[in-house]
Amino acid sequence: MNEMKLIFKSRLENEAFARTCVVAFLAPLHLSMETLMEIKTIIAEGVVNAMIHGYEGKEDGDIALEVCYDEEIIIIDLFDQGCGIANIEQAMQPLYTSRQDLERSGMGFTIMQTFADVFHVDSKPGVGTNLHIEKKLL
Ligand SMILES: Nc1ncnc2c1ncn2[C@@H]1O[C@H](COP(=O)(O)OP(=O)(O)OP(=O)(O)O)[C@@H](O)[C@H]1O
Ligand SMILES: [Mg+2]
C-alpha cells in the first residue's frame, strides 16, 4: 500500500491544505469527480470538527492525517488530541450539535458516514479523537 502521514496545526486555513494534500496524494488512482468530492468532504468535515470541537478554536493543536491506498481501498485516519467526545452515540445522531451557538447543523458525522464504506469514531474525553474511514474502490 502507498501511505502518507501529515501533521498540521489546528488553524482554519489548514482545512484547504489538508484537502489539497489528500487529492494530490490520491492522483495516481485517477478517481472519478464524484469519489474525489466525497473524499474531500470527509476530510473537510473531519478536520473542521477537530479544529472547532476538539481544540475548541485553539490554533496550536496538532492534527494528524494518515492516508493509505491500493487499487482496492482508501483508508483515512484522522487524529486530534483535543477535548474528546463523552457520548459518541449521541454525537453521531443526525442534527446533534454541541455548538448551536456557532450555528453548526450537526450533520458532519452523518455526511461522513454516508460517503464512507466503513466509519469508526474512537474518542476519549481529555485524550482526543480518532476517525477511521475506509472507502472501497472495487
Ligand atoms: N474531533 C472532535 N472532538 C470533540 N468533539 C467532536 C469532534 N468531532 C465531533 N465532535 C462532537 O460531535 C458533534 C457532532 O459533530 P458533527 O460534525 O456531526 O456536527 P457539528 O460539527 O456540530 O455540525 P456541522 O458538522 O454540521 O457543522 C459536535 O457538535 C461535537 O460535539
Ligand atoms: Mg462537524
Side-chain angles (χ1 to χ4, degrees):
M1 286 196 123
N2 193 7
E3 185 178 348
M4 70 91 144
K5 296 183 183 184
L6 192 66
I7 298 176
F8 52 91
K9 289 293 173 197
S10 57
R11 300 171 64 100
L12 279 176
E13 64 260 39
N14 288 340
E15 182 253 309
F17 167 72
R19 258 189 292 126
T20 309
C21 283
V22 173
V23 168
F25 179 64
L26 296 176
L29 286 173
H30 302 293
L31 299 170
S32 68
M33 289 304 284
E34 190 188 358
T35 304
L36 267 182
M37 184 277 290
E38 292 174 356
I39 290 167
K40 283 196 282 186
T41 304
I42 289 169
I43 301 287
E45 293 290 340
V47 165
V48 170
N49 275 357
M51 291 170 176
I52 64 171
H53 301 302
Y55 292 117
E56 297 164 282
K58 291 192 288 288
E59 295 189 325
D60 59 347
D62 282 336
I63 297 174
L65 179 59
E66 301 183 5
V67 183
C68 57
Y69 71 83
D70 61 19
E71 50 289 324
E72 290 179 17
I73 195 167
I74 300 167
I75 303 173
I76 300 168
D77 277 280
L78 186 70
F79 301 87
D80 69 60
Q81 295 157 287
C83 67
I85 304 171
N87 187 337
I88 296 172
E89 208 182 312
Q90 178 190 49
M92 290 179 70
Q93 294 292 320
L95 302 177
Y96 173 82
T97 182
S98 57
R99 299 303 302 269
Q100 261 152 350
D101 56 315
L102 295 180
E103 298 187 17
R104 311 305 305 191
S105 60
M107 288 303 288
F109 277 148
T110 305
I111 291 166
M112 286 187 267
Q113 226 167 350
T114 304
F115 290 156
D117 294 300
V118 172
F119 185 74
H120 287 308
V121 182
D122 188 16
S123 188
K124 221 173 166 181
V127 179
T129 299
N130 166 221
L131 303 186
H132 176 86
I133 296 121
E134 297 181 12
K135 188 127 181 89
K136 297 192 172 87
L137 300 175
L138 296 179

